[in-house]
Amino acid sequence: MFAHELDVPFTLEVVHDLASVDAAAFGGNPMLKVPTLQVGTTSTFGTENICRSLVEHAGRSGDRRIVLAEHLADAVVRSAQELVWSAMLAQVQLRVGIAVANLPANNVFFVKAAAGLTGAFAWLEARLDDVLERLPAPRDLSLLEVTSFCLIEHVAFRPTVSLEPFPRLREFATTFGARASARQTLFRFDPPHKGDTP
Ligand SMILES: N[C@@H](CCC(=O)N[C@@H](CS)C(=O)NCC(=O)O)C(=O)O
């Protein structure tokens, strides 16, 4: 979404087997995670760093209309971003641990991850309007809004906890999802590839 919003050309390379233990399959990330940005021979690991890098490539470093984490001066907004990152981690733990690794969902590790994810959604549901109000404005793009949207959309795409109790978050996702960058990057399954982990 950042690349589309910033008009930075890119090509996507699919990681066909998330269970691979070959770092090369993850663009060289030794922690075996996506995403990795490759520009020439330079690799950048992690969403936040990649968004920073895309802002630089777009020639918009220092542009106050692009709001990254380092531009957040408000405690509530900073906490919201932290919860979104933590919630994304919980979502990955639940999906990879239960759906991919077939580990028992009633293990306290997953019970706690699910409770934390629901708790983060409840916190965000209660404060979303306040958080949006406190974000620097005017702005073209913020990491917090994009990551919040992606979190909600991923839980809708690969269900773990219920989004039913969070109408304000669902409404936000519907509104934000109308952006061209969102419509161009819908979560979807990539075509199967020989040797994939099911
Ligand atoms: N802090 C990293 C987290 C990366 C991450 O957890 N990626 C997940 C996306 S599904 C992943 O590759 N998981 C594979 C695994 O943990 O096996 C970021 O924001 O980029």
Side-chain angles (χ1 to χ4, degrees), residues 3 172 180:
F172 163 77

Side-chain angles (χ1 to χ4, degrees), residues 18 26 32-35 45-48 85 88-89 92 96:
L18 271 186
F26 297 88
L32 311 173
K33 291 186 186 296
V34 292
F45 306 138
T47 307
E48 188 170 9
W85 291 132
M88 283 179 161
L89 178 62
V92 172
V96 174

Side-chain angles (χ1 to χ4, degrees), residues 1-2 5 67 128 132 135 139-153 168-186:
M1 286 182 68
F2 256 67
E5 294 272 353
V67 181
L128 184 67
L132 294 177
L135 267 177
R139 61 184 177 275
D140 295 327
L141 187 63
S142 75
L143 183 71
L144 178 60
E145 286 169 289
V146 171
T147 53
S148 300
F149 170 72
C150 292
L151 169 66
I152 297 163
E153 286 297 284
R168 180 65 189 97
L169 296 182
R170 287 187 279 113
E171 180 193 31
F172 163 77
T174 301
T175 306
F176 204 78
R179 294 172 84 118
S181 64
R183 293 200 308 272
Q184 286 166 288
T185 54
L186 294 177

Side-chain angles (χ1 to χ4, degrees), residues 95-109:
R95 288 305 310 183
V96 174
I98 299 170
V100 177
N102 278 318
L103 292 168
N106 63 357
N107 186 286
V108 66
F109 180 75

